[in-house]
Amino acid sequence: MKPAGRDSLKNRNIVVTRPAHQAESFCRMLEHAGANALRCPLLNISATPKTPSFARLRAELASFDLLIFNSPNAANFGLPQLEPQRRLQGRVKIAAIGAKTAHAIAGLGYSVDIVPATGFDSESLLELPILEKVGGMKIAILRGSGGRELAGSVLRSRGAEVSYIQVYERQPPSKEQFEQIEQLLLHNRSDAVAITSGEAFLALWSGIGPRLCHLLNQSTFVFGSRRIADVARSKGLCSPIAVAADPSDEAMFAALLEWAAGA
């Protein structure tokens, strides 16, 4: 099959739902291909106030064997608060759930000891042989609010002592922000909606009114994983769906190109 050309996105209206501080690279990719990127951030990301669990992690860091960061946000909000690099490095191993998270960790000056060669989720990380025998290990998983419980559950079943450390919060748009998003989408018919997290979809689904729901059901939803697509279908989404190989900008862009070429 001939690869989809970039011009297949020309003049398409693509709803970009990434948090504002993470969206611009993807928006530029779309705009360079001639698409109209409609910026509609569905989650506000902010640092979590210091929690007792985080204070314990800092105080007892030397007793931990492994820190797992489950997203770039977990790295960017967690590592700067944790400890100066010169004291952390070499004392505890660092794992990243995927390449983007590993890149964020490296950008902060730390080495990543464990990262899947492919994949971007807990399943990919847990499949690594190095994490099969963790009996007796003390592990901290740094994440955002409302994260999945799979990694902790599996690692505990393998004999590890696991602590979840919340370092950032995901909040849906305020009423005023949602009104702005609704007005943008009501005046710009969307061709496709790009969503890279289940939380973002749920924020959209719970916040839209009947008029906007009708319009969006005429759009194609491009999701960053099959798991997110399954969540959307379980909530009653009737729109056509496409699924990217992973939630990265590159994979989402490739999925949109393929959709546009066949639309």
Side-chain angles (χ1 to χ4, degrees):
M1 181 183 294
K2 184 179 178 180
R6 294 171 64 90
D7 58 354
S8 63
L9 284 174
K10 189 173 183 180
N11 296 324
R12 302 274 191 177
N13 288 339
I14 311 299
V15 179
V16 178
T17 62
R18 285 194 189 279
H21 71 286
Q22 295 176 311
E24 281 311 302
S25 174
F26 186 49
C27 289
R28 287 195 296 270
M29 292 174 72
L30 294 170
E31 288 164 351
H32 287 163
N36 302 313
L38 305 179
R39 292 160 173 81
C40 299
L42 292 176
L43 295 174
N44 297 315
I45 307 295
S46 60
T48 298
K50 298 295 191 302
T51 61
S53 61
F54 190 88
R56 285 195 299 272
L57 174 63
R58 288 198 61 173
E60 302 171 10
L61 187 62
S63 69
F64 280 82
D65 300 293
L66 178 65
L67 305 181
I68 297 176
F69 293 87
N70 78 343
S71 69
N73 280 323
N76 289 325
F77 284 102
L79 274 171
Q81 303 179 62
L82 194 57
E83 194 168 357
Q85 177 185 346
R86 64 183 180 277
R87 296 179 58 197
L88 174 62
Q89 202 69 58
R91 290 170 54 187
V92 56
K93 290 189 180 299
I94 294 177
I97 202 168
K100 291 289 185 181
T101 303
H103 181 74
I105 294 169
L108 292 166
Y110 296 85
S111 298
V112 179
D113 302 289
I114 301 170
V115 61
T118 59
F120 56 90
D121 53 18
S122 297
E123 288 84 349
S124 302
L125 188 67
L126 293 167
E127 288 175 358
L128 296 177
I130 195 171
L131 292 183
E132 290 180 357
K133 296 181 179 180
V134 294
M137 290 179 63
K138 192 172 180 180
I139 299 172
I141 301 176
L142 287 84
R143 63 176 186 170
S145 56
R148 299 171 70 200
E149 302 293 327
L150 177 66
S153 176
V154 171
L155 292 171
R156 287 180 182 128
S157 74
R158 295 174 181 175
E161 177 187 341
V162 180
S163 302
Y164 282 113
I165 313 295
Q166 182 179 316
V167 294
Y168 69 97
E169 299 177 344
R170 309 175 184 92
Q171 297 292 338
S174 66
K175 180 181 178 181
E176 293 74 19
Q177 288 173 315
F178 230 118
E179 288 173 352
Q180 292 173 0
I181 289 172
E182 283 201 329
Q183 288 305 309
L184 177 64
L185 296 182
L186 288 171
H187 289 90
N188 297 273
R189 181 186 180 279
S190 65
D191 296 298
V193 182
I195 295 188
T196 54
S197 76
E199 292 84 1
F201 173 78
L202 293 174
L204 175 66
W205 200 244
S206 63
I208 59 177
R211 224 176 11 149
L212 186 54
C213 182
H214 173 73
L215 288 174
L216 289 179
N217 265 323
Q218 299 175 47
S219 306
T220 294
F221 277 68
V222 180
F223 292 112
S225 73
R226 174 54 58 187
R227 179 175 59 83
I228 304 170
D230 290 342
V231 169
R233 283 292 190 228
S234 74
K235 294 297 181 180
L237 181 71
C238 299
S239 305
I241 283 177
V243 179
D246 61 59
S248 68
D249 290 349
E250 295 78 11
M252 293 293 289
F253 184 72
L256 282 163
L257 283 178
E258 184 175 351
W259 156 76

